[in-house]
Amino acid sequence: MKIAVVGTGYVGLVTGTCFAETGNTVTCVDIDSTKVNKLTNGEITIYEPGLEKLFLRNLKEDRLHFTTDLAAGIKDASIIFLALPTPPGEDGSADLKYILGVASQLGTLLKTDDYKVIIDKSTVPVGTAEKVNAAILESAKKAGVNLTGAFDVVSNPEFLREGVAVDDFMKPDRVVIGTSSEKAKKLMGDLYAPFVRQGNPVIFMDERSAELTKYAANSFLATKISFMNEVARLCELLGADVDMVRRGVGSDDRIGKRFLFPGIGYGGSCFPKDVQALVKSSNEVKYDFKILNAVMEVNETQKLHLFPKIKNYFKGDLKGKHFALWGLAFKPNTDDIREAPALYMIDALTAEGATVTAFDPEAMNNVKKTIGDKITYAENQYAALQGADALIIATEWNEFRTPDFLKIVSTLKNKTIFDGRNLFEVSAIRELGFHYESIGRAPSIIK
Ligand code: UDX
């Protein structure tokens, strides 16, 4: 099939590359000519494990193209994906200006005798497919053209996790397609057939339900995490061990093992934005989504849950103290620092007069661009420990999981670790003589 993908951000680039990989011819369109030039010349613009190999292969085999010209990009395509940003406006609702802007342009480009399916891939509020439909029809009407029946607008939300997006795309748990058109349904079914051969479902539904599915899925996962973070807080107060409670609870199939890991809060581009947007959508129809308000509140405070423990350990005075910080990205295997708990930790520590040296395998450049020399940056995880009063762990990168403890002991000033991701067994680390505080588990107190 011939496919156009408008927007070459994270979702657009993964979508375009993965469709090319299954033999389609894909043209990606973006207004940013620097980006388009880079991509055309084989320079990938995002960090996502496994994507570059696929991107280069499909570029070489001439199945993947990039252009700034929307008209040329969509000309031969029967399917047009919109993978455009929907940044939160000041009131938390998703701003649709980019999507509706492209929809209006499409109104002047589509032809009455050349049926195309337009697909919302971005996470958009319920009712957006109808708005896109109206924007296309209206701009065509202004040009004296009646496009009724010449296109359908479909909602097909993405469920890609950063770090494993290629796998999530190639082997999805499910594909959700919202359309009330039989013609569009057939085309979408054919398009996704190679991705669901192992038997996972393509679930067809109406547009509004598909749009809500995305928000409900992410908000549920965020709720699961916040719930477990509150259980962890309770464990600390009641003397229980959250690792045990998590295992005990998660082995019930109805609950499931995944997304039950307590920590210093969820971050990233999706959960915070989507929970906020669903609350906003609910408010618009005068519904008070009480649980989600609590989820947001719990997450805000969870990001700094370790901070009072750190302050308490240093007897309330952090002035002149120096900290090693392992992890800056909001989660492992990404360079994304949006809403990253590590940044909240840095703000809290530096506001009290402490200094920080950080190491992250991928995200340091992004942090340098955002906060510059507010902190210093180390070449590797052990160099970050030099002269530090304690180590703080904010992201669960695999390389932090089994560190060389002898090196840590010989480099850190004090054998003290504050772990926001519960990477180590408390008993093992106590044996090594560390003062160790984590989330929802008894601390190893060394006086
Ligand atoms: C998420 C959704 O999983 C994906 O389906 C959606 O389309 C986009 O948003 P992503 O933001 O990339 O993906 O990351 P994910 O792996 O889901 O983790 C989100 C956050 O939750 C991270 O900050 C992570 O550290 C945190 N988390 C996750 C926990 O704190 N505990 C857990 O048990 C799981």
Side-chain angles (χ1 to χ4, degrees):
M1 288 188 205
K2 292 210 164 50
I3 298 171
V5 179
V6 186
T8 59
Y10 185 79
V11 172
L13 203 53
V14 173
T15 303
T17 304
C18 290
F19 277 129
E21 178 67 11
T22 43
N24 300 290
T25 305
V26 180
T27 304
C28 296
V29 184
D30 203 294
I31 47 169
D32 183 342
S33 55
T34 317
K35 213 187 219 183
V36 166
N37 283 338
K38 275 189 185 167
L39 290 165
T40 306
N41 292 319
E43 196 184 323
I44 195 150
T45 45
I46 59 165
Y47 171 76
E48 179 59 36
L51 185 66
E52 189 169 20
K53 196 172 141 207
L54 263 55
F55 162 77
L56 290 173
R57 177 162 64 221
N58 285 286
L59 205 62
K60 192 167 145 246
E61 304 210 345
D62 212 26
R63 285 194 297 260
L64 189 58
H65 309 99
F66 296 91
T67 178
T68 52
D69 185 345
L70 181 66
I74 65 145
K75 192 168 161 283
D76 298 323
S78 52
I79 293 178
I80 305 170
F81 280 95
L82 305 183
L84 293 152
T86 52
E90 266 175 31
D91 61 355
S93 61
D95 188 342
L96 295 180
K97 67 175 179 233
Y98 298 109
I99 291 185
L100 295 179
V102 170
S104 298
Q105 287 181 57
L106 289 177
T108 64
L109 298 172
L110 298 186
K111 307 248 169 343
T112 47
D113 58 352
D114 181 17
Y115 175 80
K116 293 187 197 296
V117 174
I118 323 294
I119 300 151
D120 285 336
K121 196 75 183 150
S122 329
T123 303
V124 287
V126 176
T128 301
E130 287 152 40
K131 286 187 183 157
V132 170
N133 194 63
I136 296 173
L137 285 177
E138 201 177 308
S139 81
K141 198 170 154 199
K142 274 190 198 143
V145 180
N146 181 0
L147 282 181
T148 311
F151 70 96
D152 280 304
V153 178
V154 170
S155 166
N156 169 219
E158 55 84 14
F159 298 97
L160 308 175
R161 288 166 299 164
E162 286 180 36
V164 279
V166 172
D167 241 26
D168 281 351
F169 199 99
M170 301 306 276
K171 288 175 266 170
D173 284 345
R174 80 314 206 175
V175 175
V176 169
I177 293 174
T179 179
S180 34
S181 149
E182 284 305 318
K183 212 165 162 182
K185 200 170 158 182
K186 166 85 181 59
L187 210 61
M188 295 301 288
D190 291 347
L191 178 67
Y192 276 106
F195 299 88
V196 290
R197 290 248 153 81
Q198 75 279 35
N200 286 345
V202 176
I203 307 172
F204 290 102
M205 56 183 82
D206 64 279
E207 295 83 345
R208 283 181 169 247
S209 301
E211 288 164 343
L212 187 54
T213 297
K214 173 61 194 273
Y215 282 107
N218 274 355
S219 297
F220 184 82
L221 292 171
T223 305
K224 210 172 168 188
I225 296 167
S226 279
F227 179 85
M228 224 36 215
N229 282 335
E230 287 217 277
V231 170
R233 291 183 197 182
L234 204 54
C235 285
E236 289 173 13
L237 296 170
L238 296 176
D241 181 336
V242 76
D243 269 350
M244 295 301 128
V245 178
R246 176 178 59 76
R247 280 181 217 166
V249 166
S251 46
D252 183 328
D253 272 351
R254 293 170 301 173
I255 296 172
K257 294 183 177 58
R258 299 169 70 192
F259 278 74
L260 282 183
F261 290 87
I264 44 173
Y266 61 78
S269 65
C270 291
F271 287 180
K273 178 167 79 73
D274 293 353
V275 172
Q276 202 185 13
L278 189 52
V279 167
K280 179 75 193 0
S281 292
S282 309
N283 291 345
E284 274 168 16
V285 288
K286 301 204 169 12
Y287 183 72
D288 178 17
F289 208 137
K290 293 191 190 66
I291 291 181
L292 289 187
N293 281 312
V295 166
M296 289 195 288
E297 200 188 315
V298 169
N299 199 55
E300 274 318 293
T301 46
Q302 194 68 19
K303 286 178 193 160
L304 287 176
H305 185 65
L306 273 185
F307 189 67
K309 299 184 193 210
I310 298 172
K311 207 168 157 184
N312 195 30
Y313 178 76
F314 289 102
K315 304 195 168 43
D317 185 12
L318 295 180
K319 203 152 188 253
K321 293 282 178 281
H322 182 61
F323 292 92
L325 178 62
W326 282 5
L328 293 166
F330 84 93
K331 65 170 199 174
N333 299 321
T334 175
D335 64 355
D336 196 338
I337 54 162
R338 283 175 286 181
E339 298 291 325
L343 300 184
Y344 288 76
M345 182 62 80
I346 289 170
D347 276 348
L349 291 168
T350 52
E352 302 254 344
T355 50
V356 177
T357 298
F359 172 74
D360 187 284
E362 294 296 339
M364 288 203 289
N365 279 340
N366 283 342
V367 173
K368 278 181 198 161
K369 279 188 226 148
T370 324
I371 61 166
D373 57 8
K374 189 169 183 172
I375 59 168
T376 52
Y377 304 88
E379 272 195 358
N380 59 59
Q381 68 196 81
Y382 299 106
L385 304 170
Q386 203 67 50
D389 292 284
L391 164 64
I392 300 171
I393 300 172
T395 317
E396 65 277 33
W397 283 94
N398 276 335
E399 60 202 274
F400 301 158
R401 284 180 190 276
T402 46
D404 182 341
F405 282 106
L406 290 179
K407 255 189 188 168
I408 298 183
V409 171
S410 63
T411 325
L412 264 186
K413 257 171 41 190
N414 305 311
K415 282 160 84 174
T416 307
I417 300 177
F418 295 96
D419 179 359
R421 300 292 173 187
N422 289 1
L423 295 193
F424 312 129
E425 286 297 333
V426 181
S427 54
I429 206 134
R430 184 179 293 133
E431 264 173 37
L432 292 166
F434 277 92
H435 178 94
Y436 177 69
E437 298 196 45
S438 55
I439 310 287
R441 307 184 300 176
S444 155
I445 306 279
I446 309 286
K447 295 274 180 210

